[in-house]
Amino acid sequence: MEIKCLKEFDLGIELGQVRSVPVSLGKDMPEAVLFVYSSQGNLDPWPELFNYPKDTLKMALYTLDGVRMWKRDLGNGVIPGVWYAPFISFDLDQDGVDEIWFVNNLNPNIPFSLNARVLERIDPLTGETTGQWTWPDNTIDDTMSHSYRFFITGGYVHDKPVLVTAQGTYRDMYLQGYGEGMEKRWDIKIPYDDGGARSSHLCPVLDFNDDGVDELFWGERLISLEDGHEVFCGDKGKYLGHSDIVVPFEDIKTGKKYIYTCREDYEQEGEPRVVTYNEKGEREWTAVDSIGHMHNGWIANIGPDYRKVAMAMRITRRVIDNAIVDTEPEDFYFDAVTGEPLESPLPFKGDEFMPVDFDGDGYHEFYGAGGAKKGCVVDREGKVQGFIGGDGVVRSGKIMQWPGELLMVYYQDEGKVRIWGDADAVESEYCKKRFAHSYHWRMQHFMGTGYNHGSSHITCGM
């Protein structure tokens, strides 16, 4: 294995946050990548995390060879945070060119205004605005933390694209679906008292039931992109909270599909904190009874015959020196298919790493996102295979055409973003089949919404 830098992009400023999506510019045009970035770190609408912005959010399009085509400064009206300013690349009109869609604020003097917010469409070739539509203000009377949590995503209904916009995470939730020409296909409200789970911080989209229609994984419920109806909601009437982690995956031996979830809130006696559902939305197995904020989790192939192991991390938050602090986390491990508890299947702390199959053999390596081996790439035996460094993950998975999975990270002081892969990677038959699933390529276009970019649901899902 030879971990090497495959591409480098110079964004020209000190970096506090970076998100990115691939962009298709059309026939005979170079491959391109969009960066949305700032020297300000990500700002969250939760009052315990919010701070006054020290810099504005920038948007720039580069060719995959590192040449900048255009740049826009989104100004003081756009708060530099994932929930205030989601974006995607998506070819809604099916002309072969990915339009860029994002939530803009047209009044730079009122950054919290909901009346001034619009869904904006950009021509990726020029960076110019080609359309604006009023962004729904349906969360205007909620708290700051609940009002400013916006999503943009999309998928396909019998090969026809559908753009999805959404507002709300923890209480009342609103979703809208649009077809070509921005005609509204559906508009739904999921009220706080509907007896079902809330949404997650990440939102996978795929045709989970193989009916030709993509479903949006809206927390522990699946929503059809055809008409917005609820395909199923796991633990309806039992769990009314919010899951931090939602990972759709498949068992190679049986072909059965599952959904792995790790829950943040709504701690109730007798209700588990980790739940895996089958493809019908029924409980397959549960773990970690009643108590705990399960803040992180992943699934990785580390056992014989591609055995999938699930990790769940529980955190405890305390107020220390007048700030919310996540104290020492606790990791749990399970056989992902059966739920059998496992004792320390890795020679390192799983919560400090994210799984990435760099060499394409079907077994995951791990990138050190924190801890003593931050920036290192290690195999499942704990042996260091390379060093990437970096100050934050931008994207992971099938970032571009290259064997195995790749990792995109940013470097704060250098102002650069780099894509890393294994120069010696050769994909096994297992991986070729896995990566043939459209999920791995399509979800790259939705890495600018929510925490899709920072979670491992792409590199360990499906």
Side-chain angles (χ1 to χ4, degrees), residues 28-315:
D28 299 326
M29 292 295 290
E31 294 183 80
V33 57
L34 179 75
F35 294 105
V36 175
Y37 58 98
S38 175
S39 61
Q40 167 68 55
N42 180 58
L43 296 179
D44 191 281
W46 186 30
E48 298 299 332
L49 290 179
F50 184 81
N51 199 348
Y52 295 107
K54 307 299 191 300
D55 187 30
T56 56
L57 205 58
K58 284 80 174 170
M59 179 181 286
L61 190 87
Y62 287 71
T63 69
L64 204 52
D65 291 325
V67 178
R68 192 174 78 192
M69 295 181 63
W70 54 262
K71 176 183 176 182
R72 283 179 58 169
D73 191 316
L74 300 184
N76 293 326
V78 178
I79 299 173
V82 300
W83 301 114
Y84 299 101
F87 66 92
I88 65 171
S89 57
F90 194 58
D91 183 10
L92 186 62
D93 59 10
Q94 295 185 290
D95 65 351
V97 177
D98 292 332
E99 304 89 38
I100 296 164
W101 306 82
F102 78 107
V103 177
N104 198 2
N105 179 8
L106 302 184
N107 191 332
N109 298 313
I110 314 176
F112 287 105
S113 171
L114 287 179
N115 295 313
R117 273 177 165 75
V118 294
L119 173 67
E120 184 163 322
R121 184 184 62 202
I122 291 176
D123 181 342
L125 293 169
T126 64
E128 296 178 352
T129 299
T130 59
Q132 292 175 335
W133 296 265
T134 299
W135 186 258
D137 66 352
N138 41 42
T139 59
I140 195 167
D141 293 324
D142 217 324
T143 69
M144 183 173 84
S145 182
H146 298 92
S147 292
Y148 299 95
R149 295 189 182 272
F150 307 139
F151 294 80
I152 310 174
T153 188
Y156 295 84
V157 174
H158 302 300
D159 298 323
K160 296 292 185 180
V162 175
L163 181 78
V164 178
T165 57
Q167 308 83 38
T169 296
Y170 297 104
R171 302 196 203 185
D172 289 341
M173 303 181 296
Y174 306 83
L175 299 97
Q176 306 85 35
Y178 300 90
E180 184 178 351
M182 282 300 290
E183 76 278 3
K184 186 176 286 186
R185 292 180 58 119
W186 47 268
D187 189 340
I188 63 171
K189 174 184 179 181
I190 305 173
Y192 189 33
D193 61 357
D194 88 316
R198 303 297 89 191
S199 74
S200 177
H201 288 320
L202 52 95
C203 51
V205 179
L206 75 152
D207 182 5
F208 194 65
N209 56 9
D210 297 319
D211 64 350
V213 176
D214 281 347
E215 290 84 39
L216 169 64
F217 286 66
W218 194 244
E220 298 183 22
R221 76 177 78 209
L222 265 64
I223 295 174
S224 169
L225 265 60
E226 184 167 32
D227 55 12
H229 82 270
E230 182 181 288
V231 177
F232 63 72
C233 180
D235 277 3
K236 192 82 176 257
K238 294 181 179 180
Y239 183 63
L240 312 181
H242 155 90
S243 293
D244 265 350
I245 301 298
V246 177
V247 179
F249 71 98
E250 185 174 344
D251 178 17
I252 185 176
K253 294 181 179 179
T254 65
K256 292 182 178 179
K257 298 176 184 177
Y258 302 92
I259 307 169
Y260 176 62
T261 67
C262 299
R263 295 170 166 178
E264 173 184 315
D265 59 1
Y266 197 73
E267 298 173 58
Q268 299 290 315
E269 186 66 34
E271 290 303 313
R273 309 306 296 153
V274 176
V275 178
T276 293
Y277 298 102
N278 62 26
E279 53 196 4
K280 296 179 181 179
E282 303 162 337
R283 284 187 181 183
E284 193 69 23
W285 60 266
T286 67
V288 190
D289 291 337
S290 303
I291 302 299
H293 176 161
M294 313 307 291
H295 190 59
N296 190 13
W298 47 247
I299 291 174
N301 290 352
I302 62 176
D305 298 323
Y306 306 108
R307 185 188 192 189
K308 293 183 181 295
V309 171
M311 187 278 294
M313 180 192 80
R314 178 164 62 191
I315 62 170

Side-chain angles (χ1 to χ4, degrees), residues 399-413:
I399 295 173
M400 64 182 197
Q401 293 286 350
W402 190 271
E405 293 182 318
L406 307 178
L407 189 69
M408 179 188 286
V409 297
Y410 74 84
Y411 298 79
Q412 182 173 353
D413 294 338

